[in-house]
Amino acid sequence: MTRPHLPTPASLPQAGQSAVAQGQPLVLMVSLQGCTACEWVRRAVLLPAVRANELQAAEIDMGDERRILLGFDGQRRTPRALAKGWGVTRAPTLLFLDGQGRELAERLVGLPLIDFYQAYLDERLQHARQQLRQGRVGRLRLPRPSPFHLIMPT
């Protein structure tokens, strides 16, 4: 049985522009083959949202040295080279990108507090969508929510 995957676009600019045309950021998951956290994020969070037309998502494998993709800079590179160029060192990493590959919200790295993963994702999606609506782009940072505020009684 094959596990479902998000699409790996041959052209990242085309995928990003398609998402932006629908008013959405491109949520790009940088994964790694055999990564159980990646599998959970894909299966439990991203694929259901894609199927419900709630977001536009794609995936690249940071260990893939065979496939050649068109990057946002117009150069053809392997997914591994793309991930390295973005400074991605952990899987899963979710990037929230505009049509030119600029980051619209803070990256979601790893699998922090699984019970709150959807809330972390929703916060970043809201911020990225707001940046698109306002025409603001670039590498923006959100304040990182403290897990202590989420689990400590008030």
Side-chain angles (χ1 to χ4, degrees), residues 3-141:
R3 293 185 172 151
H5 281 270
L6 295 164
T8 298
S11 169
L12 291 173
Q14 185 177 11
Q17 291 163 7
S18 175
V20 169
Q22 296 178 42
Q24 298 286 341
L26 174 63
V27 178
L28 183 64
M29 181 166 91
V30 182
S31 64
L32 189 60
Q33 186 175 4
C35 166
T36 57
C38 300
E39 179 65 25
W40 184 86
V41 169
R42 179 186 310 112
R43 189 174 31 82
V45 179
L46 296 179
L47 281 171
V50 167
R51 289 179 184 133
N53 291 318
E54 295 170 357
L55 60 82
Q56 299 292 312
E59 179 177 356
I60 66 168
D61 181 337
M62 65 190 287
D64 185 351
E65 294 181 302
R66 291 181 154 192
R67 195 179 305 218
I68 301 295
L69 309 177
L70 181 63
F72 286 103
D73 62 359
Q75 299 296 312
R76 296 193 178 279
R77 294 190 174 86
T78 66
R80 181 179 178 142
L82 289 165
K84 185 177 179 181
W86 290 321
V88 173
T89 59
R90 292 181 56 200
T93 294
L94 298 187
L95 304 174
F96 303 87
L97 307 170
D98 71 2
Q100 285 76 47
R102 295 174 291 205
E103 293 188 47
L104 298 167
E106 181 182 3
R107 297 172 177 193
L108 187 49
V109 180
L111 194 55
L113 294 173
I114 196 167
D115 291 341
F116 299 104
Y117 193 87
Q118 187 67 53
Y120 294 150
L121 175 62
D122 291 344
E123 177 184 45
R124 284 159 174 84
L125 281 170
Q126 180 181 5
H127 187 76
R129 289 172 181 144
Q130 180 181 10
Q131 296 303 309
L132 282 175
R133 281 193 304 274
Q134 294 175 352
R136 296 182 189 158
V137 293
R139 190 170 186 159
L140 305 172
R141 294 290 179 191

Side-chain angles (χ1 to χ4, degrees), residues 112-113 116 120 144-154:
L113 294 173
F116 299 104
Y120 294 150
R144 198 172 286 238
S146 169
F148 298 107
H149 294 292
L150 299 173
I151 60 174
M152 297 295 289
T154 55

